[in-house]
Amino acid sequence: MTPTFVRACALGELEEDTPKRVELEGVPVALVRTEGEVFAVNDICSHANVSLSEGEVEDCQIECWLHGSSFDLRTGKPSGLPATRPVPVYPVKIEGDDVLVSVTQES
């Protein structure tokens, strides 16, 4: 299946290491601009039903503010307890100043 990319926001709207929550086709997504790249992961922590975009970003990880689990922005894998399941990661493309994300295909 070919991924369908939709516009999430303008690149200029993303501050370095500051997550931004968007909803794309009914899917909550946390966008993060860090280390010269833009990443998109599912915004809901796999351990508790809370928004990851309210957490901190450091070393290409996003931390859940509630219990402190961190997830790798490249793979979605948790780096520590209490979370044990990864969060979905979505492909991102930059076209001009537009950030495009495909929520139809998880990587």
Side-chain angles (χ1 to χ4, degrees):
M1 183 166 109
T2 305
T4 303
F5 285 86
V6 294
R7 185 181 185 278
C9 68
L11 187 58
E13 292 177 47
L14 296 177
E15 293 180 44
E16 188 76 11
D17 296 332
T18 303
K20 177 179 178 67
R21 179 188 169 102
V22 296
E23 193 161 303
L24 304 172
E25 300 177 354
V27 177
V29 175
L31 294 173
V32 179
R33 184 179 191 171
T34 187
E35 299 180 9
E37 291 187 66
V38 176
F39 299 93
V41 298
N42 192 284
D43 191 41
I44 304 303
C45 178
S46 64
H47 169 255
N49 189 22
V50 297
S51 178
L52 290 176
S53 61
E54 295 175 22
E56 303 277 321
V57 173
E58 190 174 331
D59 297 330
C60 219
Q61 304 265 333
I62 190 165
E63 182 182 55
C64 178
W65 61 269
L66 188 60
H67 296 114
S69 287
S70 287
F71 299 88
D72 189 305
L73 290 167
R74 297 166 293 234
T75 65
K77 291 183 177 150
S79 59
L81 296 173
T84 57
R85 293 186 328 265
V87 292
V89 174
Y90 306 109
V92 175
K93 285 195 309 193
I94 308 297
E95 287 185 0
D97 189 46
D98 291 334
V99 177
L100 306 176
V101 177
S102 172
V103 293
T104 57
Q105 183 178 5
E106 298 171 10
S107 57

